[in-house]
Amino acid sequence: MSSGNGTNGSATPVKASPDDIVSLLDKVQAFIFDCDGVIWRGDKLIDGIPETLDLLRAMGKRLVFVTNNSTKSRAGYVKKFTSLGLSITPEEIYSSSYAAAAYLESIDFDKNKKVYVVGEIGIQEELDLKGFTHTGGPEDKDKQIVLGEGVKMPHDADVGAVVVGFDRNINYYKLQYATLCIRENPGCLFVATNTDAVTHLTDVQEWAGGGTMVGALKGSCQREPVVVGKPASFMLDNIASSFGLEKSEICMVGDRLDTDILFGRNGGLATCLVLSGVTTEKTLLSDENKIHPDYYVPSLAEFLSVKDKAGVSK
């Protein structure tokens, strides 16, 4: 197995054989799974996932489910897992909405300050659980700016951070309010849950992702945000610390090269790409691609092919 080192421009990606999968299972004690494109697509469970997760649990593997989608809190994701017939606890889930709140907690963000949210309820619920005061979010979805001579939009000088995530109700009011906070409030933080170009709102089409909202504010503010989701290091460091895991014992499984696999390789994890989501085999094997996983498989269900070799009877 090659070591995680960010990019690998020389080795050819390896399509995992049954022996490769057994070797991987022998070497790692925990799996971090992306959700969209690995566990489900849109609201549809990918074939073979329940059986595969049961196999890994029977082998004593620790499972952590990560997602850059910030629209739900961990409690919200438990409901989604349950609706798809999967039994997962909140402690096994690490969403970018949670990462944003955890980041603010990690830097001792002043709780006398407010957080302005460009995003959905998942971010707000996680901020509530950490005791942070917030404004914006869905409450601002219908607000409009009426322009005219001499119009100046007010904003709250007590906003000390702007957290930006995927927002299906993005509007000009939110963008202008966030811009004013970031540009005019001294020391105001600009935090992005992720910069994903696209997301899976349905299983039949890709949709503009959270990077769309972040990109708009990068343009207006001329600043780079602190990114807390994949492939940034904060999420992995916080997961390893929170779950008591050594990075050398972890395998990252995802469907995106530029977030999931880069996230794993930069963190020194074993990496496995699944072709059930965004990345095609053609893209993976193209000369232009320089981000290579240790292994790739058609889908996570490929792990079921080694059930007998792994010595699991259930």
Side-chain angles (χ1 to χ4, degrees):
M1 184 187 304
S2 60
S3 60
N5 58 4
T7 61
N8 178 353
S10 58
T12 301
V14 176
K15 187 172 185 178
S17 67
D19 286 343
D20 290 329
I21 295 174
V22 170
S23 176
L24 179 64
L25 290 169
D26 286 342
K27 292 177 181 178
V28 302
Q29 299 304 314
F31 285 86
I32 297 178
F33 298 108
D34 178 50
C35 294
D36 297 327
V38 179
I39 306 300
W40 59 65
R41 281 181 65 90
D43 290 319
K44 184 178 180 181
L45 192 66
I46 293 172
D47 290 344
I49 292 302
E51 297 85 352
T52 306
L53 298 182
D54 287 345
L55 170 66
L56 295 174
R57 290 191 191 280
M59 296 181 68
K61 306 302 182 184
R62 187 71 181 269
L63 309 183
V64 182
F65 300 87
V66 301
T67 176
N68 267 357
N69 189 332
S70 62
T71 61
K72 295 181 178 68
S73 63
R74 288 172 297 167
Y77 272 106
V78 167
K79 293 179 181 177
K80 176 159 186 175
F81 277 103
T82 301
S83 74
L84 295 172
L86 300 174
S87 180
I88 308 295
T89 67
E91 293 74 26
E92 293 177 305
I93 299 169
Y94 200 104
S95 63
S96 65
S97 53
Y98 174 75
Y103 172 74
L104 293 177
E105 181 181 53
S106 75
I107 62 170
D108 294 322
F109 179 74
D110 186 354
K111 290 190 176 181
N112 293 314
K113 293 284 188 178
K114 300 174 185 175
V115 180
Y116 184 73
V117 176
V118 178
E120 301 192 15
I121 193 170
I123 297 172
Q124 294 177 309
E125 289 179 349
E126 294 294 357
L127 290 172
D128 284 337
L129 291 172
K130 296 291 188 184
F132 295 116
T133 302
H134 55 81
T135 62
E139 289 77 12
D140 285 354
K141 70 177 183 177
D142 295 323
K143 291 186 178 179
Q144 298 181 352
I145 300 172
V146 179
L147 294 175
E149 186 177 351
V151 169
K152 181 179 180 180
M153 181 176 172
H155 72 284
D156 192 338
D158 288 332
V159 171
V162 173
V163 174
V164 186
F166 181 70
D167 191 338
R168 283 167 286 199
N169 295 299
I170 190 70
N171 58 31
Y172 192 66
Y173 178 93
K174 294 180 183 181
L175 293 175
Q176 175 64 1
Y177 197 100
T179 298
L180 290 172
C181 292
I182 294 170
R183 294 184 63 157
E184 298 187 9
N185 290 0
C188 184
L189 301 173
F190 177 16
V191 180
T193 61
N194 69 86
T195 56
D196 289 358
V198 297
T199 189
H200 292 136
L201 297 181
T202 67
D203 65 344
V204 295
Q205 188 179 54
E206 291 181 348
W207 300 76
T212 309
M213 296 79 201
V214 176
L217 287 169
K218 284 173 60 176
S220 64
C221 299
Q222 293 296 292
R223 272 179 60 180
E224 292 293 324
V226 174
V227 182
V228 295
K230 299 171 294 178
S233 62
F234 173 78
M235 182 180 272
L236 177 57
D237 292 341
N238 198 252
I239 288 172
S241 174
S242 299
F243 289 91
L245 299 171
E246 294 293 332
K247 293 179 182 178
S248 60
E249 299 176 326
I250 305 172
C251 178
M252 176 69 211
V253 182
D255 69 315
R256 296 173 185 259
L257 293 166
D258 60 348
T259 54
D260 302 326
I261 302 308
L262 188 59
F263 173 75
R265 294 193 68 84
N266 284 348
L269 312 184
T271 55
C272 181
L273 179 80
V274 295
L275 302 179
S276 52
V278 169
T279 305
T280 64
E281 189 171 37
K282 181 179 179 180
T283 298
L284 172 64
L285 300 178
S286 70
D287 292 338
E288 290 75 23
N289 173 45
K290 304 302 180 186
I291 303 172
H292 294 169
D294 293 310
Y295 300 112
Y296 73 97
V297 291
S299 78
L300 186 59
E302 196 72 12
F303 280 49
L304 292 172
S305 67
V306 305
K307 184 174 182 179
D308 291 338
K309 287 188 177 184
V312 178
S313 58
K314 64 180 290 184

